[in-house]
Amino acid sequence: MKWTYKVKKFLLDIILPNTCPICNDFIGYDEYICEKCLSNLPLVEENICNRCKRKECICTDLFYDNCISFVYYEDSGKDGLLSFKLKGLFNFAEYFAQKAVEMLKENGILDEIDLITNVPMTAQKEYERGYDQAFEFAKMISMFSGLPLDGMVLIKEKGNVVQHELSSKERKEKAYEAFEL
């Protein structure tokens, strides 16, 4: 991580003290999550599918080679992610990005990656939220990994349909229509 980034976080903490993205308790400027919430994260266990990383395998329905995750999208894991996605609290995403890079290294995948990019949101949705959380997460992965970032690989041309309201099959169909290289 760049030293300028650390200095920026320190100075920002003087004006706007750093808080845990899950419980909102004050934490150090260089911390991401308080110890209490960190110990309560629903960490991924060993008894999951090696490819899709789910308790109940869904591999027959996938369009990707592998998935790496260290926390389940439930309880405090979900709270932390939603604090980033909906409230603009970047600590959980920064913690998650750091862990993702560590896991990529451990699994020997990081050396195979040429570029970090993101799946963009519509311009309207980005305007409403004030930022594109996937791009911000990609920036963090790039920062921790040292890999180049290009947020313009995909362009979302269409897609006013909210993805989380669709079934898996509908998401795949809409994805083909919504994105362009």
Side-chain angles (χ1 to χ4, degrees), residues 4 14 18 27 29 32 53 60 63 67 80 109 146 169 180:
T4 54
I14 294 170
N18 195 17
I27 55 177
Y29 81 93
Y32 304 120
K53 303 296 188 223
T60 57
F63 284 106
C67 173
I109 298 171
K169 181 181 177 186
E180 292 184 17

Side-chain angles (χ1 to χ4, degrees), residues 68-81:
I68 295 177
S69 182
F70 74 96
V71 67
Y72 288 111
Y73 184 67
E74 60 190 33
D75 303 324
S76 59
K78 182 177 180 179
D79 294 341
L81 188 60

Side-chain angles (χ1 to χ4, degrees), residues 47 59-60 74 87 99 110 138 144 148:
N47 60 345
C59 284
T60 57
E74 60 190 33
K87 298 178 184 174
K99 289 295 183 188
L110 191 63
F144 286 118

Side-chain angles (χ1 to χ4, degrees), residues 6 8 20-21 28 44 59 68 78 81 100 108 111 115 118 120 123 143-144 160-161:
K6 288 182 180 182
K8 177 183 162 188
C20 175
V44 171
C59 284
I68 295 177
K78 182 177 180 179
L81 188 60
D111 294 335
L115 177 75
N118 64 293
M143 178 180 65
F144 286 118
N160 293 329
V161 178

Side-chain angles (χ1 to χ4, degrees), residues 12-161:
L12 183 61
D13 189 59
I14 294 170
I15 300 165
L16 185 63
N18 195 17
T19 59
C20 175
I22 299 169
C23 71
N24 293 318
D25 284 351
F26 291 108
I27 55 177
Y29 81 93
D30 57 347
E31 295 180 89
Y32 304 120
I33 303 170
C34 75
E35 289 297 322
K36 179 185 75 176
C37 291
L38 194 57
S39 67
N40 288 327
L41 278 178
L43 300 177
V44 171
E45 305 151 359
E46 294 300 318
N47 60 345
I48 58 173
C49 174
N50 286 331
R51 183 168 176 233
C52 67
K53 303 296 188 223
R54 295 205 181 214
K55 293 176 188 177
E56 292 87 29
C57 178
I58 59 165
C59 284
T60 57
D61 200 26
L62 299 179
F63 284 106
Y64 55 86
D65 296 326
N66 202 329
C67 173
I68 295 177
S69 182
F70 74 96
V71 67
Y72 288 111
Y73 184 67
E74 60 190 33
D75 303 324
S76 59
K78 182 177 180 179
D79 294 341
L81 188 60
L82 290 176
S83 74
F84 167 57
K85 184 178 178 182
L86 303 176
K87 298 178 184 174
L89 303 175
F90 284 42
N91 278 2
F92 191 81
E94 196 168 344
Y95 176 73
F96 195 81
Q98 187 178 41
K99 289 295 183 188
V101 170
E102 288 173 14
M103 291 182 80
L104 290 168
K105 283 180 186 174
E106 289 171 10
N107 287 285
I109 298 171
L110 191 63
D111 294 335
E112 299 174 15
I113 298 173
D114 298 318
L115 177 75
I116 304 297
T117 191
N118 64 293
V119 177
M121 60 181 13
T122 62
Q124 177 65 31
K125 191 70 171 177
E126 184 175 350
Y127 175 77
E128 290 169 7
R129 185 167 292 157
Y131 62 98
D132 180 339
Q133 77 275 356
F135 180 69
E136 295 300 327
F137 185 66
K139 282 191 336 192
M140 292 175 201
I141 297 237
S142 175
M143 178 180 65
F144 286 118
S145 68
L147 291 166
L149 170 71
D150 185 346
M152 297 302 294
V153 173
L154 289 176
I155 299 169
K156 190 161 188 179
E157 291 293 326
K158 301 175 185 173
N160 293 329
V161 178

